[in-house]
Amino acid sequence: MILTRLATLTNGWNPALRIGLLVIGLVLAFGLPWVMYPPVALDIAAWALFAVALDLLLGYTGMLSFGHAAFWGSSAYATGIVAIETGLPFPVAVLGGALVAAALALPIAMLSVRRSGIYFAMVTLAFAQLVFFIANQWRSVTGGENGLQGIPREFFGLDLSDSFYFYYAALPLILLGLLGAWRVVHSPFGRVMVAIRENQARARALGYPVDRYKVQVFVLSAFLAGLAGGVYAIGHGFASLQEVYWTTSGKVVVMNILGGMGTLWGPVLGAGIIVLLEDYLATAGIDAVGLVTGLIFVVTVLLFRRGIWGTVRHLVRSRRRPDERAAAQEGEPESRPAPARQG
Amino acid sequence: MLRTSGLSKEFSGFRAVSDVDLSVADGAVHALVGPNGAGKTTLFNLLTGFIKPTSGTITIEGRDVTGMRPEQIAQRGVARSFQIASLFEELTLAEHVELALQGRDGTGYRFWRSDKRLRRYAAETDGLLDQVGLGGMSGVPAGSLAYGQKRALELALALALSPRLLLLDEPTAGMGVEDVARTIELIKRVRADRTIVLVEHNMQVVSDLADTVTVLQFGKVLAEGDYQSVRNDPDVITAYLGEAVA
């Protein structure tokens, strides 16, 4: 029952396929640390949530934020500070970090949503650079270039120093975050997000205060990005300037575009691919991460703009369509064809 | 219901709308006609807040709405249709109408709820689509509609807001003869409890529907009155013939 309901996160696919995907997704989520180095598995999980958080903005609402490192990173620092200073269980610290990210997002969103397209991207980038500058200067709090070190993995006295066990302690937070994103996308609010993406002026004419909706999506997205950044910081035991650097913002955009934005599954896939690739290149001693991800980005944009997930889904749908037409002609004019919904 | 005074809009030196005093009576069907470029659509955009006037004021139901944003004006019970069908290409017809109904009820901010709740609108949605002749097509994406059907969906969206003031920008443009007739009937039906302003080129539609006709030319009001008196106005005849000759 729950599975069938959850499985609507791939609306538009047939139910068996949806449940199958969900099962595969869950098996992967739980099995990852068995098949790879657990810290890498945790990186994949954290980046997957980060990428999905951005997808709410980029894929569903049509807003390219090029400054999401500000939220991932500010939460990484805030989570670390809460964990170090209070010694509270790590999920509380992560939640605190996510709230800091959301609070930071509110003024940034209010100042940037009036711009759209490339201008919006530039304004968000500028704010993220401001956050980077502050993190770099405010050494007493962030540790400057040394980063914030020695973040504990406190969890009701359990020993989580082994990353294998920590992965399972952190996974519920990630899954809750993903579930939250799915809830938002498939809600009345999610419909308005897509409406804004498709035609802003029309949404306004229907009485929707578009700017307020954009601020709301932005803050929700930042909260989820903060959840991901907090888990990442606890997992690594430190938060560094890298977390608020612009390349982090760029990386999460690449994950979305590679996987397929506006699909939720796509960004998860994109995160997995990019993290594994970086890990492979690093262990192989090839110092060309930027070059390789850059190439992947260019190839994706030029050859399959829907991204991997979007392309596969498109192929599945166009193969299925002839059957649907035949079914429709057999005299069921009242039946609703599967709505062509995103996600 | 609707009143403008001294309403003007200038685009870098070009006065698209010039000193327009318009008064639309409560419950009337008021047509705006005029040659292309007369400023009809600009006037619509001014009335619905999509552009801000250079000078002049707009009052709706006695309240000054000059400078308000489109969504604020929509929330005051003003719905508009667009001249060039303005839809959400990827969404289905049902999703369009549901969006409008949810906009009317102001429940779109609920991000923690399931969109399955929108099913409570199913009957109303089907009813509206039936009304505009799109019955049985609720699952079709708007992007695949023919031009005339898009116009019909525009109408359904505007009606879904249950507006007190309905602004229709060329509601029958691009429709076949039957669809025009059905649209005229529909407008006659829905005018009972609302005020309607429409921009229209089809004089048949204007004479069938309009209580008052305002003729615009070069952004100015050229003539105003009932259809017969406007039709026989020498200035109006010159304006239209002049355009035809050019």
Side-chain angles (χ1 to χ4, degrees):
Chain A
M1 191 56 209
I2 274 246
L3 272 187
T4 354
R5 287 202 47 182
L6 281 177
T8 50
L9 84 166
T10 46
N11 261 351
W13 299 61
N14 78 52
L17 199 58
R18 285 194 230 151
I19 294 175
L21 279 170
L22 189 67
V23 169
I24 292 171
L26 285 174
V27 166
L28 275 177
F30 281 93
L32 231 42
W34 294 86
V35 294
M36 64 180 67
Y37 187 46
V40 177
L42 186 73
D43 279 4
I44 292 179
W47 279 97
L49 178 56
F50 187 19
V52 164
L54 183 73
D55 197 25
L56 293 183
L57 270 181
L58 179 59
Y60 285 92
T61 324
M63 301 159 75
L64 169 57
S65 164
F66 206 77
H68 251 44
F71 311 118
W72 158 275
S74 62
S75 171
Y77 281 118
T79 300
I81 290 163
V82 172
I84 292 168
E85 299 296 328
T86 68
L88 285 166
F90 81 86
V92 179
V94 171
L95 209 61
L99 286 173
V100 167
L104 177 68
L106 184 65
I108 292 180
M110 292 200 294
L111 290 167
S112 50
V113 295
R114 288 185 167 257
R115 301 278 160 267
S116 54
I118 192 74
Y119 301 102
F120 175 77
M122 289 299 117
V123 174
T124 50
L125 173 61
F127 278 116
Q129 287 303 96
L130 194 68
V131 170
F132 174 83
F133 179 80
I134 292 170
N136 193 13
Q137 295 295 313
W138 203 4
R139 281 163 210 279
S140 56
V141 173
T142 63
E145 279 167 15
N146 298 324
L148 190 66
Q149 306 205 6
I151 300 174
R153 290 179 183 173
E154 178 54 44
F155 193 61
F156 305 108
L158 283 172
D159 177 17
L160 294 178
S161 56
D162 186 336
S163 286
F164 183 85
Y165 297 113
F166 177 71
Y167 178 89
Y168 288 102
L171 189 60
L173 274 177
I174 300 290
L175 291 179
L176 277 175
L178 293 174
L179 189 68
W182 168 79
R183 173 74 289 158
V184 168
V185 164
H186 295 288
S187 71
F189 182 80
R191 296 281 188 93
V192 183
M193 283 159 57
V194 174
I196 291 171
R197 180 190 73 198
E198 297 282 306
N199 190 339
Q200 266 191 57
R202 206 2 151 176
R204 283 184 210 274
L206 294 179
Y208 290 110
V210 166
D211 289 347
R212 215 164 68 204
Y213 275 84
K214 286 181 170 176
V215 169
Q216 204 175 331
V217 186
F218 197 96
V219 171
L220 283 170
S221 168
F223 178 82
L224 294 178
L227 218 52
V231 168
Y232 185 89
I234 301 273
H236 284 250
F238 69 89
S240 73
L241 280 176
Q242 181 62 40
E243 268 61 81
V244 284
Y245 199 47
W246 67 268
T247 53
T248 296
S249 298
K251 193 159 124 185
V252 73
V253 171
V254 171
M255 287 170 176
N256 266 271
I257 291 172
L258 172 65
M261 50 190 190
T263 63
L264 293 187
W265 282 108
V268 171
L269 188 65
I273 292 172
I274 298 284
V275 170
L276 283 178
L277 189 73
E278 285 191 347
D279 180 58
Y280 170 78
L281 291 175
T283 33
I286 305 168
D287 187 21
V289 172
L291 184 70
V292 174
T293 46
L295 268 175
I296 290 178
F297 181 73
V298 170
V299 169
T300 312
V301 171
L302 289 181
L303 294 184
F304 50 117
R305 293 187 58 189
R306 294 170 212 267
I308 296 171
W309 195 267
T311 304
V312 169
R313 192 174 62 177
H314 180 68
L315 291 176
V316 169
R317 279 188 186 161
S318 43
R319 270 190 53 186
R320 213 180 49 193
R321 211 156 284 156
D323 311 342
E324 272 178 8
R325 250 184 246 130
Q329 277 166 1
E330 277 172 33
E332 259 190 272
E334 293 300 316
S335 72
R336 287 189 183 188
R341 287 275 296 158
Q342 292 289 310
Chain B
M1 180 73 195
L2 168 69
R3 185 181 288 274
T4 72
S5 97
L7 195 63
S8 300
K9 178 66 190 180
E10 229 172 88
F11 294 111
S12 50
F14 167 68
R15 280 175 94 82
V17 169
S18 179
D19 209 19
V20 168
D21 298 315
L22 192 69
S23 175
V24 177
D26 230 342
V29 174
H30 193 123
L32 297 174
V33 303
N36 283 324
K40 303 180 299 282
T41 295
T42 305
L43 184 55
F44 254 41
N45 284 334
L46 287 168
L47 296 177
T48 48
F50 277 88
I51 54 179
K52 308 240 174 294
T54 312
S55 61
T57 58
I58 305 162
T59 52
I60 290 172
E61 293 180 316
R63 281 205 56 167
D64 188 356
V65 299
T66 319
M68 278 193 186
R69 289 194 296 275
E71 59 266 26
Q72 293 174 308
I73 290 177
Q75 284 159 8
R76 289 182 184 280
V78 180
R80 72 170 291 185
S81 74
F82 288 78
Q83 183 186 358
I84 297 159
S86 173
L87 301 165
F88 311 110
E89 297 282 313
E90 295 229 350
L91 301 188
T92 66
L93 269 56
E95 286 168 337
H96 273 80
V97 180
E98 283 163 5
L99 260 172
L101 292 170
Q102 170 185 289
R104 175 196 70 190
D105 295 350
T107 53
Y109 59 87
R110 297 182 178 169
F111 64 83
W112 58 90
R113 287 265 166 83
S114 168
D115 57 7
K116 293 213 172 73
R117 292 196 147 237
L118 296 174
R119 284 197 186 144
R120 73 196 143 109
Y121 290 131
E124 210 176 337
T125 299
D126 290 345
L128 279 159
L129 289 174
D130 269 347
Q131 253 194 339
V132 299
L134 294 173
M137 296 182 70
S138 53
V140 176
S144 65
L145 291 182
Y147 186 75
Q149 294 176 313
K150 287 188 177 176
R151 314 279 328 157
L153 181 56
E154 276 282 333
L155 208 55
L157 288 186
L159 289 175
L161 296 176
S162 312
R164 291 190 298 283
L165 174 60
L166 180 57
L167 303 169
L168 301 173
D169 199 349
E170 301 196 22
T172 65
M175 282 186 181
V177 182
E178 286 166 38
D179 291 335
V180 171
R182 199 195 45 247
T183 304
I184 291 176
E185 286 314 306
L186 176 61
I187 294 174
K188 280 182 179 164
R189 230 175 21 245
V190 301
R191 65 166 293 181
D193 41 5
R194 51 182 59 102
T195 309
I196 298 175
V197 179
L198 68 144
V199 167
E200 190 53 73
H201 280 299
N202 185 333
M203 286 307 142
Q204 185 61 48
V205 177
V206 173
S207 71
D208 269 12
L209 289 172
D211 303 311
T212 313
V213 179
T214 298
V215 185
L216 291 169
Q217 192 192 18
F218 306 129
K220 292 199 180 82
V221 175
L222 185 67
E224 189 170 275
D226 61 40
Y227 180 71
Q228 284 308 325
S229 72
V230 163
R231 203 175 73 131
N232 298 318
D233 187 299
D235 287 344
V236 174
I237 294 167
T238 321
Y240 270 88
L241 285 182
E243 193 207 24
V245 172

